[in-house]
Amino acid sequence: MRRFSSLVALAASLLVVAACTHARNAPDPAPPPAAEPALDPAYAVSHDTELFALVRQAQWDQEQYAREDSAIMGELREAVGFWNAGHLDRFISELYGQSATYVGSAGPVEARAAVRPIHAARWFSDGRPSGRLSVQLERRWNLGDEVRLFVCRWTVTDAATGREESWISSLSFRKFPGLGWTLLHEHSELEG
């Protein structure tokens, strides 16, 4: 019997040694998940208020941009009205600022000097327009509070035949205090 208890003690010792060796070689268990911190109600209210303010500011900005874009298109259509009434010089002076540039195939030139001969030769041979001009906004970019880039399609519809001739141009506008939106640059497909 004594022999048997010695064997049991030896087996138990071996099991303890094996368990200790296994515990030393086993990978560390994953730490328990961290408890989420309690949300401070004051932070939640502050965060929601800030988020609401940011969303509302973005809405106001978009509404302001839409009003300004509408004002720019109104100015373009007003200038087109002068063209259609046969006042080419007024169309040009209303549309282009004093220092506006125009880019066509000849490269950058002074806009007022470049645009008048193109329109006069093509549609004003007798001093009156041979067709009706219209302008359509194709795309726009707001490049800050004071700069806009428009891509517009211009179309002249011949009064006698109804045939249309259209071209695309990009128009750069800048808002000046006291002057409003002024066209500074046009890059156009229209060739003279």
Side-chain angles (χ1 to χ4, degrees):
M1 185 76 173
R2 197 173 153 101
R3 246 176 138 190
F4 180 71
S5 58
S6 294
L7 284 174
V8 169
L10 180 63
S13 298
L14 288 174
L15 283 174
V16 168
V17 169
C20 290
T21 304
H22 176 71
R24 254 187 307 186
N25 294 333
D28 290 335
E36 288 193 29
L39 184 61
D40 178 8
Y43 171 78
V45 170
S46 170
H47 181 70
D48 288 347
T49 303
E50 290 172 13
L51 182 60
F52 175 77
L54 288 172
V55 168
R56 188 65 193 132
Q57 182 64 47
Q59 289 171 337
W60 285 333
D61 289 347
Q62 291 305 314
E63 291 165 6
Q64 179 68 23
Y65 290 152
R67 281 192 298 274
E68 291 177 344
D69 292 349
S70 181
I72 293 169
M73 286 306 297
E75 291 178 17
L76 288 176
R77 290 190 175 105
E78 184 178 338
V80 165
F82 289 119
W83 194 98
N84 288 329
H87 304 298
L88 180 58
D89 290 328
R90 185 82 188 267
F91 164 77
I92 291 168
S93 66
E94 289 291 321
L95 189 58
Y96 300 98
Q98 289 284 352
S99 60
T101 55
Y102 178 88
V103 174
S105 61
V109 293
E110 196 267 323
R112 291 181 175 187
V115 171
R116 190 183 196 297
I118 294 171
H119 288 265
R122 202 177 216 130
W123 296 292
F124 282 80
S125 57
D126 63 354
R128 303 284 303 160
S130 61
R132 185 158 186 80
L133 179 64
S134 64
V135 62
Q136 176 76 35
L137 178 63
E138 297 279 323
R139 298 229 18 217
R140 68 173 171 77
W141 291 269
N142 297 319
L143 306 175
D145 292 337
E146 299 175 351
V147 180
R148 298 290 188 278
L149 176 63
F150 281 18
V151 174
C152 292
R153 177 173 299 280
W154 303 87
T155 303
V156 175
T157 305
D158 188 280
T161 66
R163 187 176 76 76
E164 292 184 344
E165 183 175 359
S166 68
W167 65 97
I168 296 282
S169 64
S170 63
L171 308 164
S172 301
F173 295 91
R174 176 146 188 182
K175 188 176 187 180
F176 292 101
L179 294 175
W181 290 98
T182 303
L183 177 60
L184 296 179
H185 179 76
E186 179 179 9
H187 192 145
S188 180
E189 304 181 311
L190 182 63
E191 300 297 339

